[in-house]
């Protein structure tokens, strides 16, 4: 088989092999999609858990050769940070509101 390949290469014919890089990039799209889903969920529920999952999905996609992996990593970090601060603000506001509500209705 190698002799045939070398013979074809020297005669100007190109033998195509399966596109392994293309398959890796296509499988990386799944990680990109899951990474974006985790990043968006980290705004609402369990920001640390879903933010880290989004970062991991972005790293896996980057390792598989997809350029969007770095964008998912950055978006996951930003959305995780926003989710943490929004949760803290909401928690403080609800504690103050419920505390005031309980004091005035006693």
């Amino acid at each position: 088989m190698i002799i045939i390949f070398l013979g074809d290469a020297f005669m100007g014919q190109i033998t195509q092999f399966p596109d392994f890089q293309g398959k890796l990039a296509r499988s990386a799209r799944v990680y990109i999609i899951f990474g974006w889903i985790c990043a968006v969920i980290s705004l609402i529920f369990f920001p640390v858990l879903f933010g880290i999952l989004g970062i991991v999905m972005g790293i896996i996609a980057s390792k598989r050769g997809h350029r969007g992996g770095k964008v998912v990593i950055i978006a996951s970090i930003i959305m995780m940070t926003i989710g943490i601060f929004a949760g803290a603000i909401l928690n403080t506001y609800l504690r103050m509101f419920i505390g005031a509500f309980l004091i005035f209705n006693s």
Side-chain angles (χ1 to χ4, degrees), residues 2-15:
I2 293 177
I3 296 171
I4 294 172
F5 172 69
L6 290 175
D8 288 344
F10 289 120
M11 298 178 104
Q13 297 175 351
I14 299 173
T15 305

Side-chain angles (χ1 to χ4, degrees), residues 18-93:
D19 185 20
F20 295 115
Q21 292 296 333
K23 286 183 181 180
L24 283 176
R26 283 189 294 274
S27 68
R29 282 188 220 145
V30 174
Y31 291 106
I32 294 291
I33 292 168
F34 283 132
W36 276 109
I37 290 170
C38 289
V40 171
I41 291 174
S42 73
L43 284 170
I44 303 167
F45 300 110
F46 303 113
V48 176
L49 175 71
F50 284 107
I52 291 174
L53 279 174
I55 292 169
V56 169
M57 295 295 169
I59 291 171
I60 292 172
S62 291
K63 296 268 185 191
R64 291 184 178 238
H66 200 286
R67 293 182 295 172
K70 294 177 185 176
V71 176
V72 171
I73 293 169
I74 293 169
S76 294
I77 292 170
I78 291 170
M79 290 185 191
M80 178 176 60
T81 305
I82 292 171
I84 289 170
F85 284 119
I89 291 169
L90 185 64
N91 188 11
T92 304
Y93 175 75

